[in-house]
Amino acid sequence: MPPFPEEPQIHESAQGPRATPASSRVTPTPRPVPGPRSAVPPRPGPPRPAPPAQRAAGAKPGPASTPDSSAGSAGGRGAPQIQLIPAPAGGALDAADEAVDLLLDSGRAPAEVLVLTTGDPHPWTAHERSFGEDAYWRQQDAADDVFYADGASAGQAKPRPVVVVAANGGDDTVKSVLPTALTRAQALLIVCGDPQQINSVLGAGV
């Protein structure tokens, strides 16, 4: 019998590239629930004070809530969506600034956003109030920019589609500001702070 031809040898190099083990993946930072995409005009008036250069450790956005088709509808009277961004008290203001930037980047108009603080006022609040209370509240009535209010004046803030709360201190103030923020948010409430504290005030809705 004729000898069988030798079977071709499959060399390791011919088997294609080896699969490399997947490197550890970085979970993308979730963005706040975007609003309707619209052209955002240049923001008039004095520039908003920039957030501090150093972000506090641990002030990272948490998982975003599932969008509710009825939440962003104009004039919707249902309860707003609630999104929690875990942050220590010292980093809550930075987290709120980042949330505002992401909201504007995703299409929200500046006039749709209200920011409330529970501890120290936002630098924008302090800056605007340096011109007097009347000038400060006219900024809200003009409704052409993001408006910032502290815990003491949260009750005077007018409703807006999105309310961002920086729980940056003042346990008693947190308990009073969060329910107020819930009534001012027409579509979305974003709370930056300690999850346990926030859940104890707002309950299981967070």
Side-chain angles (χ1 to χ4, degrees):
M1 293 178 62
F4 290 104
E6 290 187 7
E7 296 183 3
Q9 298 294 318
I10 300 177
H11 297 285
E12 188 175 356
S13 61
Q15 295 178 3
R18 287 180 176 273
T20 56
S23 59
S24 58
R25 292 178 294 178
V26 178
T27 305
T29 302
R31 300 169 67 91
V33 179
R37 293 187 176 276
S38 59
V40 180
R43 302 171 66 187
R48 178 165 60 91
Q54 273 191 326
R55 297 284 184 188
K60 297 179 180 178
S65 305
T66 304
D68 181 352
S69 58
S70 64
S73 60
R77 297 186 180 278
Q81 275 185 284
I82 301 175
Q83 181 180 342
L84 171 61
I85 298 180
L93 201 58
D94 288 342
D97 276 326
E98 185 174 355
V100 170
D101 290 340
L102 290 172
L103 285 164
L104 299 181
D105 289 345
S106 64
R108 283 283 182 188
E112 294 183 326
V113 183
L114 166 67
V115 180
L116 301 175
T117 58
T118 64
D120 291 337
H122 190 280
W124 187 95
T125 305
H127 176 264
E128 292 301 319
R129 278 196 156 145
S130 67
F131 299 105
E133 286 294 305
D134 289 342
Y136 169 70
W137 289 109
R138 278 199 299 270
Q139 294 284 341
Q140 174 176 236
D141 295 335
D144 56 11
D145 202 351
V146 179
F147 188 73
Y148 296 79
D150 56 22
S153 55
Q156 298 174 255
K158 294 181 179 179
R160 290 196 175 190
V162 182
V163 175
V164 181
V165 177
N168 60 332
D171 291 347
D172 291 337
T173 308
V174 171
K175 293 176 183 177
S176 64
V177 168
L178 288 183
T180 300
L182 197 57
T183 66
R184 298 301 188 270
Q186 297 170 325
L188 175 63
L189 172 62
I190 300 175
V191 187
C192 307
D194 174 51
Q196 185 175 357
Q197 181 186 40
I198 294 165
N199 278 308
S200 68
V201 177
L202 294 181
V206 181

